[in-house]
Amino acid sequence: MLLSNVKHGVPQGSILSPLFFLLYIKDLPAVVTAENAKLVLYADDNSLIITDPSPIEFADKYRFTNVNEQFRNNSLFLNFNKTAYLKFRTKNSQKLSSNIKLLNNQITNSTNTKFLGLTIEEMLSWKCHINQIKSRPSSACYASKVFTPLMSADILKMIYYSYVRSIITYGIILGGNSPHSTDIFKIQKWIIRNITKSRSWDSCRQLFKRLENLPLQTQYIFSVLLFVVKNKDLYTTNQEIHNITTRSNTNLHPPACNLTVF
């Protein structure tokens, strides 16, 4: 074991390292003063979300020198190999690349990025994320077929909840309604049939009920409902929109969505 004095920063593996690091970056959001810009922090993973109507002027308006200067003042350094920017766009919109440089380092334009275990794409189709996670349920599907004769249904059900369900339900309120999620649903049905020792052409409706498990689409609806119930303050009711007395006055007012931001 090699011991040395720490001149700056925090030693890796120390129980005080997370606390010291938070003290290092606690004032970082204060330097992001640009309009329509928001800094999202999670440990040492920093994401800057910017809304701008002009992709061409994007690189000129938002210089990140103040963020990098804050890093340097706290003896921190930006890892340019892990730094990229992602432009969200619609399917039919033209893809435009911006030339963004910081300290003579080119910041690359990426079509997708990982954020807290989710693969986010520029068009928010969730195709990449689903393709990346479906390999693990596929492995569990094969394992359930092999071990079904050797294990009871209760043990297989426990393995399913710990290894499969935790994967397919993470972030389900974001990508659960994607058309690409049908691949995950097919794998889920294969596993359910393997656990219950059913035939490949048997309907899974009663099998889900027997295992007290929710199909992927039903789990998506249930998760969205739970999110809405827990975050009612984020939504408005109909009576806040108009003064007309109706039976649906206390219902939540669904926000109008379109693809035009500006």
Side-chain angles (χ1 to χ4, degrees):
M1 180 182 295
L2 180 62
L3 300 178
S4 60
N5 295 326
V6 178
K7 298 181 180 179
H8 64 272
V10 293
Q12 186 175 4
S14 170
I15 59 174
L16 293 177
S17 296
L19 177 60
F20 287 155
F21 185 79
L22 290 177
L23 294 175
Y24 260 72
I25 66 172
K26 70 179 181 63
D27 53 349
L28 182 59
V31 304
V32 181
T33 58
E35 188 179 359
N36 298 329
K38 179 182 179 181
L39 189 65
V40 179
L41 304 178
Y42 185 82
D44 61 342
D45 190 358
N46 305 321
S47 300
L48 185 61
I49 302 176
I50 299 174
T51 304
D52 194 285
S54 176
I56 299 176
E57 298 177 1
F58 169 78
D60 296 329
K61 290 180 63 176
Y62 295 98
R63 296 294 181 181
F64 308 110
T65 52
N66 54 344
V67 176
N68 189 65
E69 186 67 25
Q70 183 70 15
F71 284 159
R72 294 177 61 182
N73 292 339
N74 292 332
S75 300
L76 299 173
F77 301 95
L78 189 64
N79 189 345
F80 289 99
N81 294 328
K82 296 182 179 180
T83 302
Y85 72 94
L86 175 67
K87 271 187 180 179
F88 295 105
R89 63 186 183 92
T90 59
K91 182 178 181 181
N92 298 323
S93 63
Q94 184 181 2
K95 184 176 182 179
L96 298 174
S97 297
S98 301
N99 185 22
I100 301 180
K101 287 187 176 181
L102 182 60
L103 301 179
N104 296 324
N105 291 280
Q106 183 74 33
I107 300 180
T108 58
N109 182 13
S110 177
T111 58
N112 61 78
T113 185
K114 270 205 165 187
F115 181 70
L116 302 183
L118 298 174
T119 303
I120 304 176
E121 304 167 71
E122 57 183 357
M123 292 186 290
L124 295 178
S125 67
W126 301 103
K127 182 178 180 180
C128 287
H129 177 70
I130 292 173
N131 288 337
Q132 288 188 6
I133 69 170
K134 70 180 183 181
S135 60
R136 297 175 66 181
S138 296
S139 302
C141 180
Y142 173 77
S144 64
K145 184 176 182 179
V146 173
F147 294 111
T148 294
L150 307 176
M151 298 180 180
S152 64
D154 291 337
I155 296 179
L156 292 173
K157 181 180 176 181
M158 186 188 307
I159 296 175
Y160 167 81
Y161 271 86
S162 60
Y163 188 76
V164 178
R165 189 176 181 276
S166 59
I167 297 174
I168 65 178
T169 57
Y170 180 69
I172 193 173
I173 63 174
L174 300 174
N177 200 31
S178 168
H180 306 288
S181 63
T182 54
D183 295 339
I184 301 294
F185 182 49
K186 291 177 182 178
I187 298 174
Q188 185 188 28
K189 291 194 295 184
W190 290 341
I191 298 175
I192 294 298
R193 289 193 181 102
N194 290 339
I195 293 176
T196 58
K197 300 178 182 179
S198 302
R199 297 168 298 183
S200 59
W201 58 85
D202 289 339
S203 174
C204 289
R205 185 182 298 272
Q206 296 301 324
L207 302 181
F208 277 109
K209 291 181 180 180
R210 189 196 310 177
L211 295 179
E212 298 179 347
N213 188 27
L214 293 177
L216 184 67
Q217 291 84 354
T218 308
Q219 181 65 55
Y220 163 72
I221 297 173
F222 180 68
S223 299
V224 170
L225 289 175
L226 286 179
F227 177 83
V228 172
V229 170
K230 293 179 180 179
N231 300 274
K232 283 185 177 180
D233 56 314
L234 300 178
Y235 302 90
T236 57
T237 58
N238 289 330
Q239 61 186 358
E240 298 177 65
I241 304 299
H242 57 76
N243 296 324
I244 303 175
T245 303
T246 61
R247 288 180 296 179
S248 59
N249 252 5
T250 57
N251 292 354
L252 296 179
H253 183 77
C257 300
N258 55 62
L259 299 180
T260 303
V261 181
F262 298 97

